[in-house]
């Protein structure tokens, strides 16, 4: 059983680090950094607060490094696209160059290092955008459905009934959402990141079917559904 210990803050150089504290019947202190950049400290019961603060400070560089890595995967707020050859686009965690070519039939093809759009008029950037974004949308529908079916068995341990399907939509600042009615939506731009992160976002939102807030109860569920997450992100 884990007991919430509140939220705390330490000053690491010029950067404040805020963390949530959980007490449990464990023997060692552990720090976890989650994709939303939140920090969780698991501590044995009766651990002095000063010792906890010292550990967070000692691991400050590690915490900030992982937060920066997750921020790199955040839904981007980029400048408007021009949809011309040479632009960089991401797909499943890798970067590709856009190549726009004149020809028929109109199509989008993914090859090594390139996303090639073939169209009747390559100067018509509106048509290029329509073809490219349509391709991304189709890929998202296929990949998200594949990952959804792959990870669903993992939530059996928390006894929730998932919705029959998920929805795709544009979001400005979140990868996914779960409504109070249990509707799960994924950001279309999630197709830009690695499948492992897609899996995590789906499982993250499925846990919200039991706990809508990001409190200690939610992270306890997440730990059960994705036990390897703690092992991967646990401070040594």
């Amino acid at each position: 059983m884990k007991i919430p210990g509140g939220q705390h803050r330490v000053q690491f150089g010029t950067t404040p680090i805020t963390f949530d504290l959980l007490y449990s019947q464990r023997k060692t202190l552990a720090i976890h950094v989650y994709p939303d950049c939140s920090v969780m400290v698991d501590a044995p019961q009766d651990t002095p607060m000063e010792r906890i603060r010292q550990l967070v400070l000692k691991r400050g560089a590690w915490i900030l490094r992982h937060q920066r890595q997750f921020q790199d995967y955040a839904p981007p707020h980029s400048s408007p696209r021009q949809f011309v050859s040479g632009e960089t686009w991401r797909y499943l965690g890798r970067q590709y160059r856009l190549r726009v070519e004149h020809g028929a039939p109109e199509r989008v093809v993914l090859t090594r290092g390139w996303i090639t759009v073939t169209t009747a008029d390559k100067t018509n950037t509106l048509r290029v955008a329509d073809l490219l974004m349509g391709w991304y949308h189709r890929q998202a529908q296929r990949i998200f459905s594949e990952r959804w079916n792959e990870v669903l068995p993992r939530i059996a341990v928390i006894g929730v009934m998932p919705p029959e399907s998920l929805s795709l939509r544009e979001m400005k600042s979140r990868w996914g959402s779960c409504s109070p009615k249990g509707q799960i939506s994924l950001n279309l731009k999630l197709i830009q990141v690695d499948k492992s992160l897609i899996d995590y976002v789906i499982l993250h939102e499925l846990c919200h079917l039991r706990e809508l807030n990001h409190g200690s109860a939610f992270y306890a569920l997440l730990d059960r559904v994705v036990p390897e997450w703690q092992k991967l992100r646990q401070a040594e």
Side-chain angles (χ1 to χ4, degrees), residues 82-84 87 89 91 98-110 115-141 191:
Q82 301 300 313
F83 297 96
V84 295
E87 284 185 337
W89 289 77
Y91 176 70
L98 178 64
R99 179 164 53 200
V100 182
E101 295 182 342
H102 171 80
E106 291 189 322
R107 61 181 182 174
V108 179
V109 177
L110 180 73
I115 299 177
T116 302
V117 178
T118 302
T119 180
D121 180 6
K122 68 178 187 178
T123 65
N124 186 344
T125 56
L126 291 178
R127 182 56 181 162
V128 174
D130 185 58
L131 289 168
L132 182 58
M133 300 317 295
W135 178 83
Y136 265 111
H137 194 282
R138 292 190 298 275
Q139 297 305 309
Q141 288 180 314
I191 194 61

Side-chain angles (χ1 to χ4, degrees), residues 71-232:
Q71 287 169 351
D72 287 342
Y73 279 113
H77 298 279
S78 57
S79 58
R81 294 287 192 170
Q82 301 300 313
F83 297 96
V84 295
S85 293
E87 284 185 337
T88 299
W89 289 77
R90 295 183 67 89
Y91 176 70
L92 294 181
R94 298 184 62 185
Q95 287 190 341
Y96 294 85
R97 288 287 185 178
L98 178 64
R99 179 164 53 200
V100 182
E101 295 182 342
H102 171 80
E106 291 189 322
R107 61 181 182 174
V108 179
V109 177
L110 180 73
T111 55
R112 182 177 297 179
W114 295 93
I115 299 177
T116 302
V117 178
T118 302
T119 180
D121 180 6
K122 68 178 187 178
T123 65
N124 186 344
T125 56
L126 291 178
R127 182 56 181 162
V128 174
D130 185 58
L131 289 168
L132 182 58
M133 300 317 295
W135 178 83
Y136 265 111
H137 194 282
R138 292 190 298 275
Q139 297 305 309
Q141 288 180 314
R142 179 178 64 85
I143 296 295
F144 294 174
S145 178
E146 168 195 299
R147 303 321 304 163
W148 174 265
N149 292 327
E150 180 72 20
V151 304
L152 273 185
R154 301 181 66 172
I155 66 164
V157 296
I158 61 174
V160 299
M161 181 64 67
E164 293 183 359
S165 62
L166 50 79
S167 64
L168 282 64
R169 61 189 180 91
E170 294 280 355
M171 302 184 198
K172 292 184 178 181
S173 60
R174 292 186 294 173
W175 282 130
S177 67
C178 180
S179 73
K181 293 183 178 180
Q183 177 61 53
I184 293 177
S185 299
L186 297 182
N187 191 335
L188 280 167
K189 292 181 180 179
L190 192 61
I191 194 61
Q192 298 177 15
V193 306
D194 188 81
K195 286 183 179 180
S196 62
L197 185 54
I198 296 173
D199 289 354
Y200 176 80
V201 172
I202 292 174
L203 290 167
H204 182 107
E205 300 306 331
L206 286 169
C207 286
H208 279 311
L209 294 174
R210 282 278 302 274
E211 295 289 339
L212 279 176
N213 299 316
H214 286 107
S216 58
F218 169 80
Y219 285 110
L221 284 177
L222 192 62
D223 289 341
R224 294 177 63 191
V225 174
V226 198
E228 73 274 19
W229 181 254
Q230 287 195 8
K231 295 177 182 178
L232 290 171

Side-chain angles (χ1 to χ4, degrees), residues 2 19-24 26-34 39-44 47 51-52 55-56 59 62-63 223 230-231 233-236:
K2 295 187 177 183
F19 63 93
D20 292 304
L21 177 61
L22 285 178
Y23 291 107
S24 62
R26 58 182 295 129
K27 295 181 179 180
T28 59
L29 284 163
I31 299 176
H32 315 283
V33 181
Y34 294 96
V39 180
M40 181 74 69
V41 177
D42 280 334
T47 303
R51 182 183 173 194
I52 294 170
L55 176 65
V56 174
R59 303 296 297 184
W62 179 88
I63 292 169
D223 289 341
Q230 287 195 8
K231 295 177 182 178
R233 297 302 174 187
Q234 184 169 308
E236 298 176 354

